């Protein structure tokens, strides 16, 4: 039970495993897009000038996620039962800002 993804070229991502598909990278993605998975994992895919696809995990989900360099491109593997995967251009995705650090408690102040 896993999904493996490789960047075929700047316009296609090949999905293999529990889900078999070729996903189109949005034309307005400017070489960057987001992959979202049903387990909660969020991954950024970025293409360099040499058309090599690089993956970076932005948000860990339930899956065990591995990125392996395979020649010029990365291969992304998620070990978990995936129900769906979706692709969005970087400009068409938004995330909540991470919460700030809590202030420390001062002894004796509350009691």
């Amino acid at each position: 039970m896993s999904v493996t993804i490789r960047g075929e070229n700047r316009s296609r991502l090949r999905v293999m495993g529990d889900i078999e598909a070729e996903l189109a990278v949005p034309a307005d993605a400017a070489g960057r897009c987001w992959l979202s998975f049903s387990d909660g994992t969020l991954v950024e895919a970025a293409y360099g000038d040499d058309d090599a696809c690089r993956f970076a995990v932005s948000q860990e989900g339930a899956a065990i996620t591995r990125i392996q360099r395979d020649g010029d491109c990365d291969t992304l593997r998620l070990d978990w039962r995936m129900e769906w995967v979706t692709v969005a251009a970087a400009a068409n995705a938004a995330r909540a800002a991470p919460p700030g650090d809590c202030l420390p408690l001062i002894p004796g102040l509350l009691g």
Side-chain angles (χ1 to χ4, degrees), residues 74-96:
D74 287 349
T75 299
L76 173 68
R77 181 181 170 111
L78 293 101
D79 292 324
W80 193 260
R81 174 73 176 126
M82 292 297 161
E83 299 294 323
W84 51 263
V85 58
T86 187
V87 178
N92 291 334
R95 293 185 58 196

Side-chain angles (χ1 to χ4, degrees), residues 56-76:
V57 177
S58 180
Q59 180 69 46
E60 291 280 346
I64 297 170
T65 306
R66 290 180 274 172
I67 299 171
Q68 181 177 355
R69 176 86 28 112
D70 188 14
D72 291 337
C73 294
D74 287 349
T75 299
L76 173 68

Side-chain angles (χ1 to χ4, degrees), residues 40-66:
T41 301
L42 180 63
V43 175
E44 182 179 12
Y47 289 89
D49 293 335
D50 58 354
D51 285 345
C53 183
R54 300 281 185 244
F55 295 110
V57 177
S58 180
Q59 180 69 46
E60 291 280 346
I64 297 170
T65 306
R66 290 180 274 172

Side-chain angles (χ1 to χ4, degrees), residues 3-8 12-24 84-87:
V3 170
T4 301
I5 298 182
R6 282 187 50 85
E8 294 289 302
R12 292 254 174 251
L13 293 165
R14 182 170 181 81
V15 183
M16 301 161 282
D18 289 340
I19 301 170
E20 293 282 337
E22 281 197 16
L23 300 176
W84 51 263
V85 58
T86 187
V87 178

